[in-house]
Amino acid sequence: MAKSTKKLTHFDVAGQAQMVDVGAKQPTRRLARASGSISMAPATLAVIRDGTSGKGDVLGVARVAAIQAAKRTADLIPLCHPLPITSIQIDFTIEPEHSRVVCTAQVQTHAPTGVEMEALTAVQIGLLTIYDMCKAIDRGMVIGNVRLLEKRGGASGTWTLAPEPTH
């Protein structure tokens, strides 16, 4: 693996954790998209799809949890800045061929720093909420493939995840 020439900004010169000073940066419109999935038994997926969990609309509750999580990211991750979020969109896609639900979060702000952590946090909490609501019937669910898909704005501009090679 190649050695990166970039430095980790959350540490000072003595190696102590620090919250990055973004006070001199100009606010810009920023966007981040992240996704992840939760795999489960086909019968569990059917319960989610058909709305027969007995606990209500699993994906509806998970959507609200994901939105709440994005708004509370700075309370959960110690060095994140609290940001004025302007938009949060949470989408769930049921993929019966893979027996999973994919969560995608898109978060936007107009601020001096980005919202990647907010999008990633939203995805994780949305998926954990699905697990919580369905664990009585399937404790073997697996959350995975959580990743940043895209970020826009700021000095570094746009970044998108390279597509996976097809075989």
Side-chain angles (χ1 to χ4, degrees):
M1 176 180 262
K3 189 173 182 179
S4 175
T5 58
K6 294 183 179 186
K7 67 177 199 145
L8 297 174
T9 57
H10 286 95
F11 296 98
D12 65 17
V13 293
Q16 300 298 310
Q18 69 175 356
M19 189 171 191
V20 177
D21 183 357
V22 297
K25 293 172 71 178
Q26 289 299 312
T28 61
R29 178 142 322 274
R30 295 164 184 267
L31 173 144
R33 282 187 326 109
S35 72
S37 63
I38 183 166
S39 300
M40 62 197 68
T44 308
L45 189 65
V47 165
I48 292 170
R49 181 194 63 226
D50 300 341
T52 57
S53 74
K55 289 187 173 185
D57 177 8
V58 172
L59 298 182
V61 173
R63 180 173 287 106
V64 172
I67 291 168
Q68 245 183 331
K71 295 183 340 182
R72 302 289 307 266
T73 299
D75 294 333
L76 300 169
I77 301 174
L79 302 178
C80 280
H81 293 83
L83 297 173
I85 294 174
T86 58
S87 172
I88 303 169
Q89 181 179 344
I90 307 296
D91 293 310
F92 291 102
T93 304
I94 294 174
E95 295 184 346
E97 67 278 13
H98 300 294
S99 196
R100 69 181 179 191
V101 176
V102 175
C103 176
T104 304
Q106 178 173 296
V107 181
Q108 295 186 66
T109 189
H110 189 268
T113 191
V115 284
E116 296 93 337
M117 296 309 298
E118 287 73 9
L120 288 162
T121 299
V123 167
Q124 291 276 26
I125 297 301
L127 296 172
L128 283 169
T129 300
I130 293 170
Y131 187 96
D132 181 51
M133 293 187 73
C134 297
K135 69 182 182 278
I137 58 172
D138 187 355
R139 293 195 187 275
M141 292 176 281
V142 176
I143 294 171
N145 213 22
V146 176
R147 62 197 177 189
L148 185 67
L149 300 174
E150 173 185 15
K151 66 78 70 192
R152 293 188 212 159
S156 62
T158 298
W159 177 90
T160 55
L161 180 66
E164 294 182 10
T166 57
H167 295 87

